[in-house]
Amino acid sequence: MILIAVAATLAILALITQAGVLLLERAYPARGRMIEVAGGAVHVVDTGPRDAAGPPVVLIHGASSNLESMRQPLGARLAEKHRVILVDRPGHGWSTRARIGDSTPDIQGRMIEQALEKLGIDRAVFVVHSWAGALGARMALDYPRRVAGLVMLAPVAYPWPGGVGQYNKIISTPVIGPLLAHTITLPLGYLLAEPGARGVFLPQIMPDGFVRDSATPLLLRPREFIANAQDLVTLKEAVREQAPRYADITAPVVVISGDGADKTVSTSIHSRPIAAAEPNAKQIVLPDVGHMVQHAAPELVVAEIAAMIGRIAPGPAAAAQRSQ
């Protein structure tokens, strides 16, 4: 009788999850273009003036999120003067990946690079947050002609002490992980989404409606929740492998992070070392700022991106002066 009760409960939770996925995807539909690449499809939102001076800006989100988390604080502001490409990382938002194991920065970087090639994007300034810090660094190493500049916001870049949470290990485990993801993750996660997001913002206060406006509940879909867990579980070894090459990055780099107030990604373990390792890096450490740098100081971030674009593609007067 106990086994029958457990099976019945799981079946009910699976039905609730399926219904929840349909409701979430109806509430947060894809708003951009799907670009087929090797190993999946990359969802991008291409906005801002196409004829803007200087390279486009590519915005790439971190873990447990999607492109909407970069659109609100940065994308809309930047699109007033620059072409902006917002990207759902493979497996997140509306992007797909055929193999759940395609979780590392090098593989996701290859898929995004192919999508940008199909968009006709030659060189771009990449703005990367948190998990995507490792992705941005890897793309600067693997595709130096594509990466004209790199702005890193509270980036992950090096191995760190400890792990990534036991539940991520469980969810990325065969059989048991998918079973949990297709039954309890969505109903339980829906209750925990708000307090979890508030914790990432600390010591800043999360904006009202952030979880809704950033389409964060899409994370609770089984295929994305598993992909996110796999990304986190494999990240440590990935940065261990690529970190010795950071001195080879030739693009100009700006690293912006909070001080010790960021309890999600340590500035002393990640931001300071990568800024020191890269020959063309500028570091900005903001006092009393947590992990969501783009929300805490959007004007500063936008100003640094614009300044980098100006250095890469100065105006006609400066160009004429250089040619004399």
Side-chain angles (χ1 to χ4, degrees):
M1 292 298 294
I2 294 175
L3 290 176
I4 293 173
V6 169
T9 300
L10 291 175
I12 292 170
L13 289 171
L15 290 173
I16 291 172
T17 295
Q18 290 179 22
V21 168
L22 292 175
L23 290 173
L24 287 175
E25 294 188 340
R26 186 173 298 173
Y28 305 107
R31 301 187 183 278
R33 171 182 171 187
M34 299 295 294
I35 303 176
E36 296 294 328
V37 299
V42 178
H43 176 237
V44 303
V45 171
D46 189 347
T47 184
R50 298 294 183 91
D51 59 350
V57 180
V58 176
L59 300 177
I60 308 180
H61 64 88
S64 306
S65 61
N66 57 74
L67 64 78
E68 295 296 340
S69 69
M70 300 293 278
R71 187 205 294 261
Q72 294 176 45
L74 301 180
R77 286 179 169 90
L78 289 164
E80 294 175 3
K81 297 181 179 179
H82 309 283
R83 184 180 181 185
V84 174
I85 312 296
L86 293 134
V87 178
D88 275 335
R89 286 197 293 107
H92 297 260
W94 286 95
S95 291
T96 65
R97 62 193 201 213
R99 296 179 301 180
I100 205 69
D102 286 348
S103 58
T104 54
D106 62 322
I107 295 176
Q108 294 191 32
R110 172 182 54 75
M111 295 173 72
I112 292 171
E113 198 276 338
Q114 290 178 7
L116 295 175
E117 179 71 21
K118 289 191 173 183
L119 273 176
I121 304 295
D122 182 17
R123 300 171 72 242
V125 170
F126 286 72
V127 181
V128 293
H129 177 236
S130 193
W131 191 102
L135 172 62
R138 185 61 186 242
M139 292 191 72
L141 289 166
D142 291 350
Y143 312 104
R145 289 184 292 181
R146 183 81 64 193
V147 181
L150 184 60
V151 178
M152 312 180 82
L153 308 177
V156 176
Y158 290 90
W160 61 92
V164 292
Q166 190 63 32
Y167 67 95
N168 286 308
K169 294 181 180 179
I170 294 172
I171 291 296
S172 58
T173 301
V175 183
I176 185 74
L179 175 64
L180 295 175
H182 284 84
T183 53
I184 68 169
T185 293
L186 192 149
L188 182 62
Y190 205 81
L191 297 175
L192 299 177
E194 287 276 348
R198 281 198 295 269
V200 176
F201 271 87
L202 291 174
Q204 279 68 54
I205 297 174
M206 183 178 73
D208 291 340
F210 171 79
V211 171
R212 178 193 67 243
D213 297 340
S214 62
T216 296
L218 286 176
L219 170 67
L220 303 177
R221 295 171 299 170
R223 63 101 172 159
E224 184 169 351
F225 200 82
I226 295 170
N228 188 66
Q230 190 74 18
D231 287 357
L232 292 167
V233 167
T234 58
L235 180 59
K236 190 172 183 177
E237 187 56 37
V239 292
R240 191 191 311 278
E241 183 272 330
Q242 69 185 39
R245 300 174 54 203
Y246 289 155
D248 297 333
I249 293 176
T250 57
V253 177
V254 175
V255 183
I256 308 174
S257 54
D259 56 8
D262 186 347
K263 304 302 182 184
T264 303
V265 175
S266 168
T267 295
S268 61
I269 292 174
H270 300 278
S271 293
R272 294 187 190 278
I274 196 167
E278 295 175 355
N280 301 304
K282 171 184 178 180
Q283 183 175 22
I284 301 172
V285 178
L286 304 173
D288 302 318
V289 167
H291 189 56
M292 300 298 278
V293 176
Q294 64 271 37
H295 284 271
E299 292 84 5
L300 181 143
V301 174
V302 168
E304 288 295 328
I305 295 168
M308 178 174 286
I309 291 172
R311 291 193 296 272
I312 294 169
Q321 185 177 12
R322 279 207 323 272
S323 66
Q324 291 176 357

